[in-house]
Amino acid sequence: MSSTWTRPLAVVTAALVAASCAGHPKGVMTPVALASRSPTAVQVEMLVATTRLASNNPSTLFNGERSPQPSLTDITVSIPAGSGRKIGDVQWPERLPPNPETDFAVTSVNAMTSAEQGLDWFRRHGKGGHALVFVHGFNNTYEDAVFRYAQIVHDSGADVTPIMFTWPSRAKLRDYNYDKESTNFSRTAFENTLRYLARDPSVKDITVLAHSMGTWLAMESLRQMAIRDGRVDPKIVNVILASPDIDVDVFARQFVELSEPRPRFTIFVSQDDRALAASRLISGNVDRLGRIDPSAEPYKAKLERAGITVVDLTKLKTPDSLNHGKFAESPQIVQLIGGRLARGQTLSGKDIGLLEGATVLVAGTTAAVGAAAATVATAPIDAANAAATGTSRAADGRELERILESEPSQSLVPGRAKPTT
């Protein structure tokens, strides 16, 4: 490896290691009791599907190895009440067991033995039939994913039924390739999870929210569904990709192979995402989708034509030193997800005005979004950041341009699903 590559890779790897050193106690999945006289805590109950191997340890439930059989678990997480907690924070306990008055804490765990039990759970917890299905990213333990999703559900205020799919991540920085292969291992299981939901009459619509490497799993599973059935199930109305760790050329191919009509797509990107800078360097020096400049051509025109809305969070500042989890840690973004996107709604000019520190390219037609159509005001990438990650290869965006031009633009207007027959 040349010194040109080694130096930035070492810098980014050091940043990743430094960020991971702020640890917390492991093994928080053992349920704790809520004190009857303690302040009222908010309870977030979720259904968790996983392809992880059971750990046979109640404090962890599942590890990072792969299971041939998926599992379903009903989990409730208590989030402390009061004004001390900031939106976006996951309050990990400093010691075990967690104190529900100050910490996130698991208060109930119920294993299930069949998909029908999971559907029955949805019917009992359904909020108007709206399902929000979350897929976590790289370097997450089971408990990392559970607590993060509980935070997203609570802070977003989304009036939806929360479901999470967690795949086998070893939660180690050096196991990037293992984690990536684990997403491939989990494609059919996640596809089936979406199928079970979509087939149930109590489910009206499904939004998929995927982060980082989990976006690869989401796109591959939706692609499989489209190949089998000729299209993505019409109940899957919205797909949100946050910091997607996907090669831009591969995403273009995946998007086309979803066939039409497609779900509406919203992508959160940040040009200062240091985790995706590392991924780019170990993935052939090809731009990652979550790090593009959506105001630059050919991306801008082709994303508009494809009907994809992009929210650029580059200017937005959050406590995340890697700039990789802004979608969950920014109050305005997580509430935007809960207030509009989680219910399958599109962004409008009004939403753009509310996003201080973020810029939005609203893709679609003038008739669909009025004067906000194709609105973009994104700052150029920071020069120091560009220098740290190297110059984009000359072919960036060409595959996206070529593929998206292969279909007529009227077929790519978001939210115009054909009726099923």
Side-chain angles (χ1 to χ4, degrees), residues 2-273:
S2 69
S3 59
T4 303
W5 280 66
T6 303
R7 193 170 192 179
L9 181 59
V11 170
V12 176
T13 301
L16 290 169
V17 172
S20 67
C21 289
H24 50 73
K26 306 296 183 182
V28 299
M29 297 307 299
T30 303
V32 300
L34 287 174
S36 59
R37 294 177 180 251
S38 67
T40 303
V42 178
Q43 301 290 297
V44 176
E45 190 171 1
M46 67 181 75
L47 182 65
V48 182
T50 186
T51 46
R52 294 175 185 260
L53 189 68
S55 65
N56 297 318
N57 181 344
S59 71
T60 56
L61 295 184
F62 295 90
N63 56 37
E65 302 306 304
R66 301 163 184 160
S67 171
Q69 295 295 328
S71 301
L72 280 173
T73 311
D74 169 15
I75 295 176
T76 302
V77 177
S78 172
I79 297 178
S83 59
R85 179 183 167 272
K86 296 179 181 179
I87 291 177
D89 287 349
V90 174
Q91 289 175 275
W92 287 93
E94 295 183 359
R95 61 186 62 85
L96 298 179
N99 178 0
E101 295 189 17
T102 57
D103 311 322
F104 277 43
V106 174
T107 56
S108 72
V109 173
N110 297 297
M112 298 180 179
T113 58
S114 69
E116 183 54 42
Q117 284 183 305
L119 291 176
D120 180 64
W121 179 92
F122 185 93
R123 296 179 196 120
R124 288 183 286 108
H125 295 82
K127 295 186 177 181
H130 307 292
L132 178 62
V133 184
F134 176 63
V135 187
H136 64 81
F138 165 65
N139 195 24
N140 273 235
T141 64
Y142 186 87
E143 57 197 26
D144 289 337
V146 167
F147 275 18
R148 173 57 76 187
Y149 190 36
Q151 174 262 312
I152 292 171
V153 172
H154 174 265
D155 291 349
S156 70
D159 189 22
V160 295
T161 303
I163 298 170
M164 183 172 73
F165 187 93
T166 171
W167 46 275
S169 167
R170 283 180 173 167
K172 296 178 181 177
L173 293 172
R174 298 194 179 201
D175 281 328
Y176 182 92
N177 288 332
Y178 172 86
D179 278 19
K180 182 64 176 289
E181 294 305 324
S182 290
T183 64
N184 292 330
F185 173 83
S186 305
R187 287 177 295 192
T188 300
F190 184 50
E191 177 193 359
N192 288 338
T193 299
L194 295 175
R195 284 185 184 281
Y196 282 123
L197 278 173
R199 288 175 182 170
D200 192 86
S202 65
V203 179
K204 292 182 179 179
D205 55 66
I206 301 167
T207 291
V208 175
L209 169 61
H211 178 231
S212 186
M213 192 179 283
T215 62
W216 170 265
L217 171 56
M219 288 300 296
E220 283 292 287
S221 297
L222 292 170
R223 175 179 169 273
Q224 279 192 180
M225 179 184 289
I227 290 172
R228 293 185 209 273
D229 301 345
R231 61 161 295 174
V232 174
D233 192 284
K235 285 188 179 180
I236 303 173
V237 298
N238 205 23
V239 176
I240 306 168
L241 305 180
S243 310
D245 187 4
I246 306 177
D247 177 314
V248 290
D249 296 340
V250 175
F251 172 74
R253 178 65 63 186
Q254 290 171 322
F255 184 83
V256 168
E257 291 177 352
L258 293 184
S259 300
E260 55 174 297
R262 300 177 182 85
R264 286 186 291 268
F265 271 79
T266 302
I267 303 176
F268 290 99
V269 305
S270 188
Q271 297 162 53
D272 59 355
D273 189 320

Side-chain angles (χ1 to χ4, degrees), residues 348 420-421:
S348 66
T420 56
T421 57

Side-chain angles (χ1 to χ4, degrees), residues 222-386:
L222 292 170
R223 175 179 169 273
Q224 279 192 180
M225 179 184 289
I227 290 172
R228 293 185 209 273
D229 301 345
R231 61 161 295 174
V232 174
D233 192 284
K235 285 188 179 180
I236 303 173
V237 298
N238 205 23
V239 176
I240 306 168
L241 305 180
S243 310
D245 187 4
I246 306 177
D247 177 314
V248 290
D249 296 340
V250 175
F251 172 74
R253 178 65 63 186
Q254 290 171 322
F255 184 83
V256 168
E257 291 177 352
L258 293 184
S259 300
E260 55 174 297
R262 300 177 182 85
R264 286 186 291 268
F265 271 79
T266 302
I267 303 176
F268 290 99
V269 305
S270 188
Q271 297 162 53
D272 59 355
D273 189 320
R274 301 170 73 190
L276 293 186
S279 175
R280 180 181 188 271
L281 287 171
I282 63 178
S283 302
N285 202 29
V286 181
D287 279 350
R288 313 314 282 172
L289 179 62
R291 211 166 176 269
I292 64 169
D293 178 355
S295 69
E297 298 294 358
Y299 296 130
K300 180 177 179 292
K302 302 312 169 184
L303 290 165
E304 289 173 11
R305 189 160 181 249
I308 298 173
T309 296
V310 183
V311 183
D312 190 342
L313 306 180
T314 304
K315 293 182 179 180
L316 203 65
K317 303 304 178 184
T318 67
D320 176 17
S321 62
L322 297 179
N323 302 314
H324 191 57
K326 292 182 180 182
F327 81 104
E329 296 187 1
S330 163
Q332 57 184 336
I333 298 302
V334 76
Q335 289 172 356
L336 179 69
I337 291 173
R340 293 191 65 82
L341 296 177
R343 296 290 294 268
Q345 299 175 359
T346 56
L347 296 180
S348 66
K350 180 180 178 181
D351 298 312
I352 297 173
L354 295 175
L355 292 176
E356 297 179 8
T359 52
V360 183
L361 183 140
V362 177
T365 65
T366 302
V369 293
T375 299
V376 65
T378 308
I381 188 169
D382 180 68
N385 192 34

